[in-house]
Amino acid sequence: MRVFGGNRPKAPACDCCTGGVVGRRTLLGAGLGLMACAAVSGGAQAQVARGARRLTVRRAYTSDSFSGVYFADGRYVADALSKLDWVFRDLSREEVTPMDPRLFDVMNAVAARMEATEAFEVISGYRAPETNAALDRRNSRVSTVSLHMSGMAGDMRLPGRESMGMARLAATMGLGGVGLYRRDGFVHLDCGQSRRW
């Protein structure tokens, strides 16, 4: 696995995660193929693509990226998920964890509704508990139960698109949590309970 050295700009803190921490093994062991459908309900379920699902992401502060199919033939593609896990890693600790693939489903659905072909620029993905605690010490608004620590959240933007428009659209879809960070120009998306701030 690659390890990057040197000083890196710190990603802005996302203080929005108010959901409980869910064990990673519990989530992934429940059956990856069923999780996308279980995560959404009613009319929102139809908004997650039922065929092959693609995602294009680029990590801010690094040259890491992924563009390709992460779900095909009714199941998640393990190699693609591993690559996405690397892109979404905790940069301050160079720590990788399995991301909840439902987050990628949320992103895929938002991109489809926006007819976006450009890459999501990922500001923050997985956040180790130590990283989250350090952010909490600097900013009292950082949640101590952040969904970033469970690999269920990401802070991102679509370059050339207004963050406000993306946040409003994502919120109307009801697929998870949506937070707008207007000053920093990014949107928080997660696959937890539907809520907005």
Side-chain angles (χ1 to χ4, degrees):
M1 193 155 296
R2 296 173 289 174
V3 177
F4 296 97
N7 293 330
R8 208 179 247 114
K10 299 294 183 207
C14 171
D15 61 311
C16 51
C17 304
T18 57
V21 176
V22 179
R24 171 122 13 260
R25 284 183 171 73
T26 302
L27 279 173
L28 295 176
L32 295 176
L34 299 175
M35 285 181 5
C37 292
V40 293
S41 61
Q45 185 172 345
Q47 297 176 50
V48 176
R50 295 184 187 276
R53 300 177 201 155
R54 297 187 55 84
L55 200 57
T56 301
V57 297
R58 179 177 52 82
R59 185 63 187 258
Y61 317 118
T62 75
S63 60
D64 300 309
S65 63
F66 172 85
S67 183
V69 173
Y70 71 92
F71 182 94
D73 301 322
R75 61 185 58 159
Y76 291 98
V77 179
D79 185 54
L81 292 183
S82 293
K83 291 175 183 175
L84 284 162
D85 292 343
W86 175 255
V87 174
F88 278 75
R89 74 192 180 281
D90 181 331
L91 293 180
S92 66
R93 300 179 62 85
E94 290 297 337
E95 187 174 319
V96 179
T97 198
M99 295 297 291
D100 189 322
R102 296 176 298 169
L103 173 62
F104 307 138
D105 291 338
V106 170
M107 294 170 67
N108 170 272
V110 169
R113 284 284 297 276
M114 293 185 76
E115 298 180 357
T117 57
E118 61 268 44
F120 281 99
E121 182 182 25
V122 178
I123 309 299
S124 177
Y126 168 65
R127 197 182 293 157
E130 297 85 354
T131 302
N132 200 73
L135 290 172
D136 182 45
R137 284 190 293 274
R138 291 195 311 255
N139 183 344
S140 62
R141 297 184 324 162
V142 173
S143 174
T144 58
V145 291
S146 170
L147 293 182
H148 285 275
M149 294 189 299
S150 297
M152 295 173 64
D155 299 331
M156 62 204 68
R157 62 175 64 101
L158 277 170
R161 306 284 185 122
E162 291 209 14
S163 295
M164 166 103 52
M166 180 173 138
R168 282 184 177 163
L169 174 69
T172 64
M173 295 172 73
L175 297 176
V178 180
L180 174 62
Y181 292 82
R182 193 180 313 210
R183 186 180 64 192
D184 295 310
F186 69 81
V187 175
H188 166 100
L189 295 177
D190 68 51
C191 57
Q193 292 181 340
S194 179
R195 63 213 188 285
R196 66 180 80 176
W197 55 93

